[in-house]
Amino acid sequence: MTKLTTLADHLAADDTASSALKGVVSTIADTCARISKVVASGAISGSLGAAGHVNVQDEEQKKLDVITNDMLSQALKADAAVAGLASEELETIEATGRTGGFLVTFDPLDGSSNIDVNVSVGTIFSVLPAPEGKSPAEADFLQPGRNQVAAGYAIYGPQTMLVLTLSKGVVGFTLDADGQWRLTHADIAIPADTAEFAINMSNQRHWAEPIRRYVDGCLQGKDGPRGKNFNMRWVASMVADVHRILMRGGIFMYPWDAREPEKPGKLRLLYEGNPMSLIVERAGGVSTDAKGAILDIQPTKLHQRVPVVLGSANEVALVADLSRG
Ligand code: AHM
Ligand code: MG
């Protein structure tokens, strides 16, 4: 059997990224491989369950949120090309004492509310350029998603995979039994059309009119305006729902809703919205907050939330059309 290309060989062959950026991606990938083991050990290592406090998002932290946040933070602080980091689990940014290089934002364990029931979870990351000649402040992290020089996620599922975009295209690696990332998905592309949607239907009564109309059209299937039947999936782990869309198409929505009207949505722009939007766009899909491209939003707050509609291009265009009225 021919050996599949390793992540190290794939990065070495990429002449668009600097060696410093490749180093940061390797640091994150190595840490995700280690996180995969901790996640997989579950109750054996006593790492399941609640940590006993809430995070800056006012959400109950799991023990694994804390463990994985510490693992990534420590690894990134030890990387000479990282000037600062920001995490969904940390209140403020952390500067490493270095200048130049890169800033990394991450959600160390997305979907962690699923961890105790053994459903796929993941790590999402985004790499931004750091300011030259000064230690980064919070304002330096508030860059539009278009500035990202790399983005990706690891999914801890039946297979552990790493999905990555650098300057172009989206590639996927699978973790082998020896702890090596192997290139298994050389050119991931999202089909433009789909008959599968993903949304938390239990929030239906809180949605805005355009989302109600769109989903209602899907639910009416062949007998409705769409003239075809739709299937529905909701893992409640963004990594798992987005991964499915990258593998076979679909539309994912976590829109604004009226439960907490002052919040624009549930998902966070810097840790979830931007990295996933870059991956989806690079794979030929579309990602919008229902007004415009998520990647064009100028962030104003570190933990800013954003409505997210992403996936198959023609389907996302329909939601955007309905939203414009
Ligand atoms: P988390 O980062 O605290 O895990 O929250 C984000 C998760 C996403 O992975 C997922 O799409 C969403 O929350 C599910 O929300 P809900 O429980 O409302 O369905
Ligand atoms: Mg998350």
Side-chain angles (χ1 to χ4, degrees):
M1 201 170 76
T2 48
K3 280 273 186 198
L4 297 166
T5 306
T6 62
L7 174 64
D9 287 344
H10 177 81
L11 290 175
D14 184 322
D15 52 13
T16 64
S18 66
S19 56
L21 178 57
K22 292 175 187 178
V24 174
V25 169
S26 302
T27 296
I28 296 167
D30 291 349
T31 311
C32 290
R34 287 192 291 117
I35 289 175
S36 157
K37 283 193 179 161
V38 180
V39 168
S41 69
I44 296 170
S45 59
S47 56
L48 299 185
H53 38 256
V54 295
N55 64 8
V56 59
Q57 322 282 340
D58 228 10
E59 292 162 350
E60 185 199 65
Q61 258 184 332
K62 300 283 188 184
K63 284 185 201 164
L64 275 169
D65 286 323
V66 179
I67 294 168
T68 55
N69 182 69
D70 289 350
M71 288 171 76
L72 264 169
S73 300
Q74 277 169 22
L76 289 168
K77 282 182 203 162
D79 187 313
V82 176
L85 56 96
S87 162
E88 187 182 301
E89 301 298 333
L90 296 172
E91 194 162 348
T92 55
I93 66 126
E94 290 195 14
T96 61
R98 293 182 281 264
T99 63
F102 302 99
L103 307 175
V104 181
T105 73
F106 56 89
D107 178 354
L109 203 61
D110 179 62
S112 57
S113 66
N114 289 312
I115 192 75
D116 296 346
V117 294
N118 202 4
V119 168
S120 298
V121 291
T123 299
I124 311 173
F125 64 90
S126 159
V127 187
L128 292 160
E132 294 293 337
K134 77 185 254 285
S135 186
E138 182 169 315
D140 296 308
F141 286 77
L142 305 182
Q143 304 184 40
R146 295 263 175 236
N147 285 13
Q148 292 171 103
V149 291
Y153 63 82
I155 178 166
Y156 313 113
Q159 301 102 43
T160 293
M161 284 189 64
L162 179 77
V163 171
L164 176 68
T165 183
L166 286 166
S167 59
K168 59 181 180 348
V170 181
V171 287
F173 301 82
T174 304
L175 195 64
D176 73 12
D178 301 321
Q180 284 275 4
W181 294 107
R182 298 275 176 186
L183 183 66
T184 46
H185 298 68
D187 189 10
I188 298 175
I190 301 175
D193 290 300
T194 183
E196 203 162 65
F197 68 97
I199 193 166
N200 184 340
M201 286 292 296
S202 70
N203 297 326
Q204 187 171 26
R205 69 190 186 285
H206 305 296
W207 295 339
E209 183 58 23
I211 299 293
R212 280 173 194 246
R213 277 178 54 204
Y214 170 74
V215 174
D216 195 47
C218 296
L219 294 176
Q220 287 180 54
K222 267 194 162 159
D223 308 324
R226 303 298 307 278
K228 66 177 184 180
N229 291 332
F230 278 77
N231 200 352
M232 196 205 87
R233 289 285 182 272
W234 185 251
V235 184
S237 276
M238 190 189 196
V239 279
D241 282 312
V242 171
H243 191 70
R244 185 187 59 254
I245 288 169
L246 285 162
M247 294 296 112
R248 67 179 191 206
I251 181 168
F252 169 93
M253 290 165 283
Y254 213 120
W256 170 89
D257 68 46
R259 280 174 298 169
E260 294 181 274
E262 73 290 350
K263 284 189 184 161
K266 174 172 184 186
L267 300 174
R268 272 87 4 165
L269 179 59
L270 295 188
Y271 319 111
E272 292 157 334
N274 276 341
M276 290 309 203
S277 297
L278 190 68
I279 294 165
V280 164
E281 281 203 7
R282 290 272 172 78
V286 175
S287 178
T288 172
D289 66 353
K291 293 196 189 101
I294 286 181
L295 293 174
D296 290 330
I297 295 173
Q298 171 61 56
T300 54
K301 283 195 298 207
L302 195 61
H303 295 295
Q304 181 168 341
R305 293 173 191 253
V306 66
V308 175
V309 178
L310 60 77
S312 292
N314 293 339
E315 211 60 27
V316 176
L318 274 177
V319 178
D321 283 350
L322 285 170
S323 301
R324 279 191 285 270

